[in-house]
Amino acid sequence: MKEILFYNSSVNEEELNQIKSVLENSKDGSKVLEFEENMAKFVGARHAIATCNSTSAIHLALSSIKLKRGDKILMSVNSFVNIPEVVRHFDAEPIFIDINNDDMNIDLNKFEKTLEENKSKKLRGAIISFIAGQTPDLNRLYDICEKYGIILIEDATCALGVTYNDETVGSLRADMTIFSTNPSNGKHALSRSGIIVTNNEEIANRARLLRTHAITTTYDDYGNLDYIYDVVDIGHKYDMSELDAAFSLAQLQKTNKFIKRRKEIAKIYQERLSNVKHITIASSKEEHIFTHFIIKISRNRDAFARALKEKGIATGLHYIPLHLLSYYKSKYSIKITEFPAALTSYQQILSIPMYPSLTNEEVNYICDTIIDIASEWI
């Protein structure tokens, strides 16, 4: 029996050399600034603002648009918990939208219908998550947001390097896009950096101001404050460390290599699992970068996951619908059946290991195990 982690970082000499240059107090310049410049260039955006993690990036994005108490933000009910969480930290209100069952992204028909029926001037915008490394119909999403005059923040933390109509996500028509160089939040995530990219100079300048307590001053080569400083707004400590920037810079430079390897792994999964009884593979478009690989189990998903765990294979869920979580279910008195597509999907979905350092031998072991379990499934 093998033991296969759900996620494992891919690290070699490039990360070590970048970190070493920071530890040796290299005066080659700030790794944070270098990372921001490289990220902006990679996605083709004018501005990039690095943060300590992707949740901080989303919080900073909402601070940058001056979100206020009672404001409303639309989002998919199939999002990670940090999306509604940051909205609630402003005492604002998340508005959940159901998903489509094909790719588990937000249902744009229901998204537009909610906006059509909206009578509140407090509805400020939307945070739209791209599930597993695949986008919804972005042209339609952008047209809807522009038609109703709302701010669009793309949660592309699992979509770094995705292209749409031959253009890179992050350079398109959203007000802001949130990225992470590491798609895992588990203990094997060596760095949890986040970054905002935007073409809006006003938003970028405000985000940079708020990122370090809204302090105005000068800094030395090591990021130390001048002894005279001022505070001009309510900010927070969102900024990225030099060590995290060094690690993220090395990871960023491997993004296309990582995508290529994940697509190779996905091809093996698709070829070997496509016609397996009780197993359905989630649909994918050509630009899917497979940050996660999601299958659906026809019945008793939890028992199937336990059977895989007994064979040493870790699994995950992307995601538990937000209305099933105790806080949101209680806070907003949401019925379990209120989002039927998300509920049906959740009862079946299972994410299996997907990361560049997986070997073909490990991938085939995962496939063999799934096939064996499925063949005996009742």
Side-chain angles (χ1 to χ4, degrees):
M1 185 182 77
K2 296 180 181 292
E3 183 178 358
I4 301 178
L5 301 172
F6 181 67
Y7 178 82
N8 200 14
S9 296
S10 300
V11 178
N12 59 21
E13 290 297 320
E14 295 173 38
E15 285 81 6
L16 297 177
N17 289 336
Q18 288 282 1
I19 291 170
K20 184 179 178 182
S21 70
V22 175
L23 296 176
E24 291 177 346
N25 292 324
S26 170
K27 290 192 176 182
D28 294 337
S30 166
K31 290 294 180 185
V32 174
L33 290 176
E34 185 180 355
F35 174 56
E36 290 176 333
E37 290 167 1
N38 277 264
M39 179 63 85
K41 183 178 180 181
F42 182 83
V43 303
R46 291 178 60 196
H47 305 281
I49 303 95
T51 64
C52 53
N53 55 56
S54 57
T55 300
S56 291
I58 297 165
H59 200 284
L60 179 57
L62 294 179
S63 295
S64 300
I65 65 170
K66 300 181 181 180
L67 194 71
K68 295 181 176 63
R69 180 180 184 181
D71 285 348
K72 302 178 189 300
I73 297 290
L74 295 168
M75 64 190 65
S76 169
V77 74
N78 186 36
S79 302
F80 189 54
V81 296
N82 62 343
I83 304 300
E85 179 181 66
V86 293
V87 173
R88 289 297 301 135
H89 275 291
F90 289 86
D91 206 10
E93 303 294 340
I95 305 298
F96 301 145
I97 309 294
D98 210 352
I99 65 171
N100 70 73
N101 273 323
D102 288 337
D103 61 10
M104 290 157 287
N105 277 307
I106 193 167
D107 185 322
L108 292 179
N109 291 326
K110 294 175 182 176
F111 177 67
E112 184 166 22
K113 184 178 180 182
T114 300
L115 286 166
E116 286 175 353
E117 296 172 350
N118 170 53
K119 304 299 181 184
S120 172
K121 294 181 180 179
K122 285 284 194 174
L123 205 162
R124 295 286 310 284
I127 305 174
I128 305 299
S129 300
F130 301 158
I131 302 301
Q134 183 168 227
T135 72
D137 181 345
L138 289 184
N139 284 334
R140 186 176 176 205
L141 174 63
Y142 298 147
D143 288 345
I144 292 170
C145 291
E146 289 172 8
K147 177 180 177 180
Y148 291 95
I150 64 169
I151 293 167
L152 174 60
I153 301 171
E154 296 173 324
D155 169 24
T157 50
C158 291
L160 177 60
V162 170
T163 58
Y164 186 84
N165 293 339
D166 297 322
E167 293 185 85
T168 306
V169 166
S171 66
L172 302 170
R173 292 158 56 193
D175 294 279
M176 287 176 275
T177 305
I178 310 299
F179 289 110
S180 173
T181 54
N182 194 325
S184 173
N185 288 313
K187 67 179 181 180
H188 294 283
L190 300 180
S191 174
R192 295 184 174 86
S193 60
I195 194 158
I196 302 170
V197 300
T198 181
N199 290 320
N200 186 308
E201 188 167 358
E202 182 180 353
I203 287 176
N205 289 338
R206 181 164 170 78
R208 290 191 183 102
L209 171 67
L210 299 178
R211 178 171 53 176
T212 48
H213 306 297
I215 291 175
T216 58
T217 187
T218 56
Y219 297 85
D220 64 19
D221 291 340
Y222 301 98
N224 297 310
L225 290 172
D226 193 1
Y227 73 101
I228 297 295
Y229 59 88
D230 193 13
V231 172
V232 296
D233 207 326
I234 298 297
H236 210 294
K237 186 67 171 172
Y238 300 103
D239 59 326
M240 174 186 282
S241 73
E242 289 291 313
L243 286 173
D244 278 326
F247 183 88
S248 297
L249 184 60
Q251 292 275 291
L252 174 63
Q253 292 165 352
K254 299 177 182 178
T255 298
N256 290 328
K257 178 182 175 182
F258 287 165
I259 292 172
K260 182 175 182 291
R261 176 56 186 159
R262 290 199 302 266
K263 286 187 173 184
E264 291 172 352
I265 294 169
K267 185 177 180 181
I268 297 173
Y269 281 147
Q270 289 168 335
E271 289 176 351
R272 295 209 56 201
L273 301 178
S274 286
N275 297 309
V276 176
K277 189 178 180 181
H278 302 301
I279 305 295
T280 303
I281 295 175
S283 66
S284 61
K285 295 176 285 191
E286 185 177 347
E287 62 265 24
H288 200 323
I289 64 168
F290 297 102
T291 312
H292 301 115
F293 194 91
I294 301 174
I295 62 176
K296 293 184 178 182
I297 313 299
S298 62
R299 62 173 67 91
N300 207 347
R301 185 270 322 278
D302 293 340
F304 202 99
R306 287 194 295 270
L308 285 172
K309 186 176 182 179
E310 289 171 1
K311 298 291 186 180
I313 299 170
T315 57
L317 294 174
H318 295 91
Y319 298 98
I320 300 174
L322 296 169
H323 75 297
L324 301 183
L325 303 176
S326 296
Y327 174 81
Y328 299 101
K329 181 168 60 177
S330 173
K331 172 72 177 175
Y332 299 108
S333 301
I334 304 174
K335 295 179 180 179
I336 290 176
T337 56
E338 190 157 336
F339 303 98
L343 178 61
T344 299
S345 177
Y346 168 66
Q347 291 169 334
Q348 298 179 323
I349 59 170
L350 189 65
S351 296
I352 58 179
M354 170 57 84
Y355 45 92
S357 61
L358 276 173
T359 66
N360 283 0
E361 181 184 3
E362 290 172 325
V363 175
N364 280 301
Y365 174 77
I366 294 166
C367 291
D368 290 340
T369 306
I370 290 173
I371 291 168
D372 287 344
I373 295 171
S375 68
E376 300 173 358
W377 213 241
I378 299 173

